[in-house]
Amino acid sequence: MVTGLRCAVCGTQVDIATPLAWRCPNATAADPHHVLHLVESGAPGPRTSGAGPDLGANPFVVYGPRLAWWAFAAAHGLTDAQCADLTEEVAGDFRFTPFGSSDPLHDAVGAHLWVKDETGNVAGSHKARHLASILLHLRAAETLGLLDGRPRLAIASCGNAALAAATLASRASWPVDVFVPMWMDDAFGRRLDELGAHIHRCERRADDPPGDPAMLRFREACAAGAIPFSVQGPENAYCLDGGRTIGWEIADQAAAAGIDLDRIVIQVGGGAFAACVGTALGPGIRLDAVQTQGCAPLAATWERMSGLKHPERSWAELMRPWPDPHSAADGILDDETYDWVAVTRALASSGGGPIVATESDVLRAHRLATAAGFAVSVTGSAGLAGVLSAGATIRDDERVAVVMSGVDRS
Ligand SMILES: Cc1ncc(COP(=O)(O)O)c(C=O)c1O
Ligand SMILES: [Zn+2]
């Protein structure tokens, strides 16, 4: 059960009953390198029903009492029935996504491959899982009279996260501002528009400091009172809450299939996805984190932090922006792995490590995944690219899971 939050950098504790506990209270514009992690006590907590991993079930209902937003609501006296009602309202469209072995991929790769297929999830990727827990926290706070009006949601993204944000906000009739780069695809913009999102194309201004202008405008909006509707843990710790549902699903689905997974190989952009999968599956399953040759800040950090007892205290020296990110896996080109502290802890505790996939493996993985019947994007099949690049370091008898994390929209 989640009992609170704690900054992984400065150790500040935040009570679970604290409304809108998105960022470490010590984080400032000058010192942004803080991140709240969820604190759990005891076992992960019950499921709401005895239901097995049934594809018709809603993971936000089944695992509701394990979630931090639910613990926040309960700390203020909301009942399980009220939390379940909020879940239906905000996250009623989520269902367990398929998990199964893939013979064509097994034949092509050699390892016993198990695939979690997120391409049919809400908004076509795993991203909505991260955002649903932020919105659930907000709806709980609103229900409890702890919110002053409806502050606008803000996100900087022009990919799966933006679509997930616009989809969830539309369902909840909550206004959302999406900060995007000038080069955003017009067709994608129209989809966001149809969902009622307010799009801001962000041009670099003459007096802007270095960095992504969309991110700068997002931060300004949050400083002016918007809610960080972000899939980056340092911007909003509650994104590290709902993201865990995918790991719990995998654990329950593997158990139902009668297999013990040895390893899971996850594609990493900002790192929230791998952080959540690692936390949910625990140290008993080896987590490997995949980036591409053209953008591998995590692997570089992993090298730099070798032997350091408290790497999180040297954030700026260890996690340096990748100079020229490029890869066909364009959804994982984040120049920094924002959630590197949680990811590297999960790698270390599970005996895993970073994998840098070659660009040819990125492309080959996509071809194999598509041929095996997955309607996945190049980014979404990058975990498989990691398996290809890891090659013989994976034993033939290992049971390895990958996630096809996002649908192909091309
Ligand atoms: C399809 C897909 N898979 C994986 C990721 C990586 O997730 P994260 O940024 O949390 O590491 C992304 C991020 O945009 C994505 O769109
Ligand atoms: Zn802190």
Side-chain angles (χ1 to χ4, degrees):
M1 214 185 103
V2 178
T3 53
L5 302 105
R6 182 177 179 279
C7 180
V9 177
C10 72
T12 300
Q13 311 259 7
V14 178
D15 196 278
I16 193 62
T18 310
L20 318 192
W22 313 136
R23 304 184 74 198
C24 172
N26 292 329
T28 60
D31 177 20
H33 294 148
H34 295 255
V35 58
L36 292 176
H37 286 171
L38 305 176
V39 179
E40 299 216 50
S41 87
R47 306 197 198 118
T48 48
S49 67
D54 165 5
L55 285 183
N58 181 334
F60 280 87
V61 174
V62 172
Y63 303 118
R66 294 183 182 180
L67 292 168
W69 83 268
W70 190 296
F72 158 76
H76 287 276
L78 287 193
T79 62
D80 280 357
Q82 286 173 305
C83 290
D85 285 348
L86 285 179
T87 303
E88 281 304 336
E89 177 199 307
V90 171
D93 294 341
F94 286 86
R95 295 288 175 270
F96 273 57
T97 55
F99 176 78
S101 59
S102 168
D103 290 340
L105 292 183
H106 169 82
D107 293 345
V109 171
H112 293 278
L113 263 189
W114 289 74
V115 180
K116 178 79 170 156
D117 184 359
E118 281 286 281
T119 58
N121 196 7
V122 172
S125 79
H126 72 282
K127 291 283 182 186
R129 295 180 188 261
H130 293 297
L131 295 170
S133 41
I134 300 176
L135 201 46
L136 282 161
H137 179 106
L138 280 170
R139 276 292 292 122
E142 187 179 42
T143 305
L144 290 160
L146 299 170
L147 257 194
D148 193 8
R150 278 200 163 183
R152 296 178 73 82
L153 306 171
I155 183 167
S157 163
C158 64
N160 287 318
L163 199 60
T167 303
L168 292 178
S170 160
R171 185 183 173 106
S173 309
W174 205 297
V176 63
D177 290 305
V178 183
F179 296 91
V180 300
M182 295 302 289
W183 47 260
M184 183 189 64
D185 180 48
D186 283 341
F188 190 75
R190 278 194 295 279
R191 291 192 65 181
L192 296 179
D193 209 35
E194 279 159 24
L195 289 163
H198 192 231
I199 303 164
H200 304 258
R201 285 185 188 263
C202 302
E203 207 166 6
R204 170 161 290 287
R205 298 178 188 159
D207 54 349
D208 273 347
D212 172 9
M215 200 64 196
L216 293 172
R217 303 290 92 82
F218 158 81
R219 292 231 168 86
E220 285 165 8
C222 294
I227 304 289
F229 203 37
S230 168
V231 290
Q232 301 170 9
E235 302 294 340
N236 194 324
Y238 271 81
C239 80
L240 302 176
D241 185 25
R244 297 176 301 158
T245 55
I246 191 169
W248 295 327
E249 280 185 36
I250 292 170
D252 282 343
Q253 289 171 315
I259 59 146
D260 283 325
L261 283 179
D262 296 296
R263 188 193 292 245
I264 185 154
V265 184
I266 296 292
Q267 49 277 38
V268 167
F273 180 28
C276 287
V277 168
T279 326
L281 290 177
I285 298 178
R286 175 183 170 138
L287 172 72
D288 287 335
V290 182
Q291 296 189 315
T292 60
Q293 260 176 340
C295 183
L298 185 71
T301 300
W302 182 256
E303 290 287 314
R304 289 184 199 115
M305 64 188 264
S306 159
L308 283 184
K309 207 157 168 228
H310 289 291
E312 69 283 352
R313 294 183 190 160
S314 310
W315 188 311
E317 295 94 277
L318 296 176
M319 175 46 71
R320 301 195 206 135
W322 192 261
D324 170 31
H326 60 276
S327 168
D330 56 6
I332 49 172
L333 291 181
D334 306 67
D335 65 347
E336 289 178 53
T337 312
Y338 313 104
D339 281 296
W340 69 278
V341 177
V343 178
T344 54
R345 285 181 184 179
L347 297 180
S349 67
S350 70
I355 297 175
V356 179
T358 63
E359 195 62 14
S360 64
D361 281 341
V362 167
L363 299 175
R364 181 165 165 241
H366 187 240
R367 282 196 302 274
L368 290 173
T370 306
F374 297 99
V376 69
S377 64
V378 181
T379 301
S381 60
L384 181 62
V387 174
L388 296 175
S389 286
T393 63
I394 300 179
R395 295 188 321 270
D396 284 351
D397 62 345
E398 276 190 65
R399 274 145 308 189
V400 182
V402 296
V403 180
M404 300 298 174
S405 53
V407 72
D408 190 6
R409 298 181 213 286
S410 64

